[in-house]
Amino acid sequence: MKLRQKIIVFATVPLVLALCIIAFTVYHHATELSKAQQEVIQPAFRASKQAELKSYVTLARHSIAHLYESGRTDTAAMEEAKAILTRLDYSDDGYFFVYDLKGTLLVHSRRPELIGRNRLDYKDVNGYPTIQSLISRANEGGGYVQYATEKPTTKLPAIKLTYVIPLPEWGWAMGTGIYLDDVENALATVDTQVSSNNFDTMRWIGVIAFLGVVLVVVSGLVLSIRERHAARVEEQIRLAGELHDDICQRLVSATLLTKTGIIQLGIPEQFMQAQHMFERAAAELNKILRDTRNLGLGLYSDTTGLMPSLRQLARDMQTGSTSIDFTAVGNTEDLSASVNEVLFRTAQGALRNVMEHAAANQAWMRLEGGKRRVVLTIRDNGTGFDTSRLDTEPEFGMSLRNMEKRMEKIGGHLDINSTTSGTTITATAPISLLRYLFNYFFPKP
């Protein structure tokens, strides 16, 4: 074998072997990322659906409260309440239903032909006794029931999550439900996007092999591609979650408030209550407008740098009732893009919790760069919370758990300390050994 051929073989074989290992590693990490995303999305979506249902039923009960809580049990009062609930819907598939405790359907705006029928023995496509379960749950004080039923807009069976409450003075079980097919669609979208990212990554590896880039450069580029794909997917999920779980739900609530006010306008003695409903709807829309603007302000750009981005974030998020003081010490300019991104997201999530939950009038954010690590501290003087709930209540503190997972991905950790006089969150991220040695031997003047 000629020397030139030996050089080609010895250069190509390790490169191909390394690329095969890298391709398998990227595929494995992408698959694990997809599973982790689904584990986060599914319970989060279900919790948001439950909260959404509860708010709908609460608003529906409020719309007939002037009749139910008046102590009236006459037919006229009940018929007026039925008429209000029949007109009160919130989407193509969103409506309210009422059964008496014997299983007779009293209100159903999508299936009026069934009103007056006793449906106690009705079972869904899987043989589940739907109406019996709804009435049983109402007798227990209210709760959630899941079953399969036909979706009005598609005429196809779909899984439906229902929340029902009792109205014992009238012998009613009132509730509403949401179809869960959009949850499956969201999970399928995540799978599709991960598959697309895998395809893009493999294509880049092929291009790198064709150009004959050395092993170290190939490894760094592939890891960079995977990191950017993961960050892009995580950012899309975060924005989609805030729009779906927060903005959309609050818009629906504002719509129901407005519809309730319109209904009350037709009742002369309810005019002041209608005015109050419109005032609440206007206030909620103003808050939604402010939070939607904050979504745009919270987009991170790695071209600005961590310290200026955090300073701007503090300016954007502080309000007249809560001020934010930002300080930075030490060298924080030589951090990797992934560390900058994670620390920025941690600060953003922590400050959002301060503004929404802490009831604080002052917050402090400090960024400190050292030789081997960088520390970000966010502290407030709010009311604090019980940190043990993070271990005992899976639906509590989702944003804090996301912060912890992000820090773990870059080899860092998150410390949470909360008392009745305030909360302190400390995020510690390591500086890589190579970067440390470079800074040591080639310090900036």
Side-chain angles (χ1 to χ4, degrees):
M1 185 179 290
K2 296 181 180 180
L3 178 60
R4 183 180 63 183
Q5 294 174 335
K6 291 181 179 180
I7 292 175
I8 294 175
V9 170
F10 284 117
T12 303
V13 171
L15 179 61
V16 172
L17 180 60
L19 286 173
C20 291
I21 295 174
I22 292 171
F24 175 78
T25 302
V26 170
Y27 180 82
H28 174 72
H29 281 292
T31 303
E32 292 299 317
L33 176 62
S34 176
K35 293 179 180 178
Q37 289 168 350
Q38 292 195 8
E39 290 175 357
V40 172
I41 291 174
Q42 201 161 19
F45 267 12
R46 188 173 184 85
S48 71
K49 292 293 187 183
Q50 290 179 343
E52 187 177 348
L53 282 174
K54 206 167 189 177
S55 65
Y56 291 162
V57 174
T58 299
L59 287 170
R61 191 186 187 285
H62 184 78
S63 69
I64 62 172
H66 63 285
L67 298 169
Y68 182 73
E69 295 176 1
S70 67
R72 295 174 58 187
T73 58
D74 56 283
T75 303
M78 294 184 184
E79 290 300 323
E80 184 177 351
K82 292 178 187 178
I84 292 174
L85 294 174
T86 300
R87 296 194 303 268
L88 196 63
D89 56 17
Y90 49 89
S91 68
D92 293 338
D93 296 309
Y95 58 89
F96 295 93
F97 62 81
V98 175
Y99 284 90
D100 65 19
L101 300 183
K102 295 181 179 179
T104 301
L105 180 62
L106 303 178
V107 173
H108 196 307
S109 61
R110 297 298 188 274
R111 301 291 300 275
E113 70 277 7
L114 298 178
I115 294 177
R117 295 186 185 179
N118 188 287
R119 308 186 73 217
L120 189 63
D121 295 331
Y122 172 78
K123 297 180 181 180
D124 70 0
V125 294
N126 298 319
Y128 182 73
T130 305
I131 311 305
Q132 294 178 24
S133 300
L134 290 172
I135 294 175
S136 175
R137 190 54 54 88
N139 287 331
E140 294 171 359
Y144 299 94
V145 176
Q146 181 172 308
Y147 54 92
T149 187
E150 181 183 281
K151 192 173 182 179
T153 53
T154 63
K155 305 300 182 182
L156 297 174
I159 300 299
K160 188 174 186 179
L161 180 65
T162 299
Y163 182 70
V164 62
I165 63 170
L167 296 177
E169 298 299 325
W170 290 356
W172 285 6
M174 180 183 72
T176 188
I178 296 178
Y179 296 92
L180 301 181
D181 50 349
D182 56 343
V183 176
E184 298 299 326
N185 293 336
L187 295 176
T189 300
V190 171
D191 287 337
T192 302
Q193 193 164 18
V194 170
S195 298
S196 176
N197 289 342
N198 281 340
F199 175 79
D200 292 340
T201 302
M202 299 306 166
R203 182 178 59 183
W204 275 109
I205 292 176
V207 172
I208 295 169
F210 178 78
L211 297 176
V213 179
V214 296
L215 179 59
V216 174
V217 175
V218 171
S219 301
L221 183 57
V222 172
L223 290 176
S224 176
I225 292 173
R226 185 180 65 83
E227 179 181 284
R228 292 192 179 190
H229 283 168
R232 188 183 304 118
V233 172
E234 184 176 350
E235 177 67 7
Q236 290 173 347
I237 292 175
R238 183 187 72 85
L239 289 175
E242 293 208 24
L243 288 173
H244 184 277
D245 300 341
D246 183 37
I247 302 298
C248 291
Q249 180 177 337
R250 289 162 61 189
L251 282 173
V252 171
S253 297
T255 301
L256 287 175
L257 286 172
T258 305
K259 286 189 176 183
T260 301
I262 292 173
I263 293 173
Q264 291 177 334
L265 282 176
I267 306 173
E269 59 270 19
Q270 296 294 319
F271 182 80
M272 294 302 295
Q273 295 185 17
Q275 182 179 6
H276 178 62
M277 282 290 179
F278 287 127
E279 290 174 351
R280 287 178 56 191
E284 182 65 17
L285 289 172
N286 283 331
K287 292 179 181 178
I288 294 172
L289 178 61
R290 180 197 65 197
D291 292 344
T292 304
R293 287 174 176 169
N294 286 339
L295 279 178
L297 293 173
L299 296 177
Y300 174 69
S301 172
D302 56 6
T303 60
T304 306
L306 180 60
M307 185 175 66
S309 297
L310 290 178
R311 180 177 287 110
Q312 186 62 44
L313 178 67
R315 293 172 183 168
D316 291 340
M317 294 196 69
Q318 71 178 353
T319 63
S321 59
T322 306
S323 60
I324 303 173
D325 180 50
F326 173 72
T327 57
V329 296
N331 180 21
T332 60
E333 298 179 0
D334 296 319
L335 303 175
S336 67
S338 59
V339 171
N340 284 344
E341 173 77 5
V342 169
L343 289 178
F344 180 85
R345 293 298 171 210
T346 299
Q348 187 181 47
L351 290 178
R352 185 181 293 114
N353 287 341
V354 171
M355 296 302 171
E356 295 179 358
H357 307 298
N361 57 27
Q362 179 69 49
W364 298 267
M365 182 164 56
R366 176 184 173 88
L367 179 67
E368 181 178 0
K371 294 182 178 180
R372 299 300 306 274
R373 65 179 184 176
V374 60
V375 179
L376 174 67
T377 305
I378 300 96
R379 180 169 58 91
D380 66 72
N381 64 351
T383 56
F385 65 95
D386 184 7
T387 55
S388 64
R389 296 178 64 188
L390 295 171
D391 299 323
T392 59
E393 301 180 26
E395 297 177 3
F396 179 80
M398 292 293 292
S399 63
L400 294 175
R401 291 190 180 89
N402 289 336
M403 294 179 204
E404 291 178 336
K405 290 180 180 179
R406 292 193 187 103
M407 293 301 300
E408 290 173 358
K409 288 180 181 179
I410 60 171
H413 62 274
L414 190 75
D415 295 320
I416 304 170
N417 182 26
S418 186
T419 66
T420 55
S421 55
T423 299
T424 300
I425 293 178
T426 305
T428 304
I431 298 176
S432 66
L433 180 59
L434 290 177
R435 192 176 295 272
Y436 168 72
L437 293 175
F438 181 85
N439 293 337
Y440 180 81
F441 289 108
F442 304 98
K444 291 187 176 182

